[in-house]
Amino acid sequence: MSGNLIIDDLGHLDGEVLIFGGCYSNLQAARALLAEVDARGIPPGNVICTGDIVGYGADPVAVVDMVSGSGWAVIAGNVERQIGAQKENCGCGFEEGSACDRLSQGWYRYAVGQVRSDQRHWMQALPDMITFIHQHRRYLVVHGAPSDIARFVWPVSDEAIFRSEFDLAEAVVGPVNAVLAGHCGIPFERVMEGRHWINAGAIGMPPHDGRSLTRFAVLGSRGVRIERLQYDAEAAAKSMVHAGLTQGYEQSLLIGIWPSEDVLPEEMRRVQRLASG
Ligand SMILES: [Fe+2]
């Protein structure tokens, strides 16, 4: 990442910390997440959002209002950075002609048309990264990766990628035990030379696993747990249809398969693998 980074430090956090990202304008999922936070008795100061509050879904305005008014710690995703700056695309840098490139032109245009100017200003002021200490371990929260807000780091990415991103993280904020990320939509934990890379996944879209449940993460006394979020996916899909968002992501909420799997590393694709027998 270049330019002047905004890095917030939350200090020491005690008790459970809930981390989530990828609301993707999915109001039903965001409400379910809020209910989880309440049910677990987690205070607002212990909830962290990894960005991409806005995305494929029908309700960007309501979701931004909910998250911005929650008292939770939030970093910008590439979508918030792009909408905040009134850019013409989501900023993922998809290959021209790829499914993500084609599909993002639909949902992104819809989202930009909905979001209010005060919400754009709120997005502009969001930090790029957050640091905090929990259970004597220091964490850095990023959207994609320390090097690039829109870098896709997958569970199957090369070790060299993790190593260079850990090194860059430490060059920017000093020693860290773990990096917490979002953006790629796939929850996972990878441990390398004692350093943890944790992706909290997305609450607004299932992780391409053939089911409708989405994911968030909870840091507790024994490290991180990836948790499943059950929510009214049918209502979310219906809202998308009603809003004219019918490029395939509305189906993904129900069937758990992305229409854009060409963004995934080959070994993580499902449809192509099934098609090739
Ligand atoms: Fe993102």
Side-chain angles (χ1 to χ4, degrees):
M1 271 187 185
S2 58
N4 296 324
L5 291 174
I6 309 170
I7 304 173
D8 279 1
D9 180 31
L10 305 182
H12 286 76
L13 300 181
D14 296 320
E16 285 193 324
V17 177
L18 189 148
I19 304 109
F20 75 100
C23 305
Y24 302 144
S25 312
N26 183 335
L27 182 59
Q28 289 76 10
R31 283 179 177 153
L33 192 277
L34 180 59
E36 281 282 344
V37 171
D38 287 345
R40 290 164 185 263
I42 298 177
N46 276 28
V47 180
I48 298 171
C49 174
T50 64
D52 283 355
I53 300 149
V54 171
Y56 322 108
D59 296 292
V61 169
V63 174
V64 172
D65 275 345
M66 202 192 102
V67 174
S68 63
S70 62
W72 301 338
V74 182
I75 62 168
N78 53 293
V79 179
E80 285 72 54
R81 279 286 174 264
Q82 296 294 99
I83 291 179
Q86 294 184 277
K87 293 282 174 69
E88 285 182 358
N89 61 59
C90 67
C92 278
F94 298 128
E95 262 178 61
E96 210 176 314
S98 68
C100 273
D101 179 48
R102 188 166 38 79
L103 297 173
S104 70
Q105 290 171 25
W107 65 258
Y108 183 82
R109 197 174 303 131
Y110 170 82
V112 164
Q114 299 270 316
V115 167
R116 300 188 309 261
S117 61
D118 63 296
Q119 294 183 316
R120 281 202 308 274
H121 294 145
W122 176 77
M123 291 176 184
Q124 286 169 358
L126 288 173
D128 300 285
M129 301 181 187
I130 283 173
T131 55
F132 68 94
I133 293 171
H134 182 256
Q135 299 269 339
H136 310 292
R137 298 167 63 82
R138 187 156 184 262
Y139 291 82
L140 173 67
V141 186
V142 299
H143 181 63
S147 68
D148 184 349
I149 191 170
R151 184 171 201 182
F152 290 101
V153 177
W154 307 105
V156 298
S157 292
D158 288 345
E159 276 191 26
I161 289 175
F162 288 95
R163 201 166 289 123
S164 71
E165 293 292 353
F166 280 128
D167 290 347
L168 184 59
E170 299 202 332
V172 175
V173 298
V176 292
N177 301 101
V179 171
L180 275 163
H183 185 56
C184 79
I186 305 287
F188 67 94
E189 183 178 22
R190 187 138 160 204
V191 184
M192 202 172 302
E193 294 155 1
R195 296 186 288 191
H196 295 239
W197 185 283
I198 299 161
N199 193 305
I203 63 163
M205 182 64 62
H208 199 57
D209 65 348
R211 300 177 66 188
S212 63
L213 301 175
T214 59
R215 302 292 194 278
F216 61 97
V218 177
L219 279 181
S221 55
R222 293 175 163 176
V224 70
R225 300 189 307 276
I226 304 291
E227 304 269 4
R228 289 176 162 79
L229 181 69
Q230 189 152 24
Y231 76 100
D232 193 345
E234 285 195 17
K238 274 187 193 156
S239 296
M240 289 179 70
V241 173
H242 188 68
L245 294 165
T246 54
Q247 292 183 297
Y249 288 114
E250 82 287 3
Q251 284 298 314
S252 302
L253 296 182
L254 306 175
I255 64 173
I257 298 293
W258 299 354
S260 51
E261 73 166 7
D262 60 359
V263 72
L264 286 161
E266 228 169 288
E267 59 266 51
M268 293 178 65
R269 297 176 189 171
R270 294 172 63 105
V271 179
Q272 283 182 10
R273 222 172 32 235
L274 288 173
S276 64

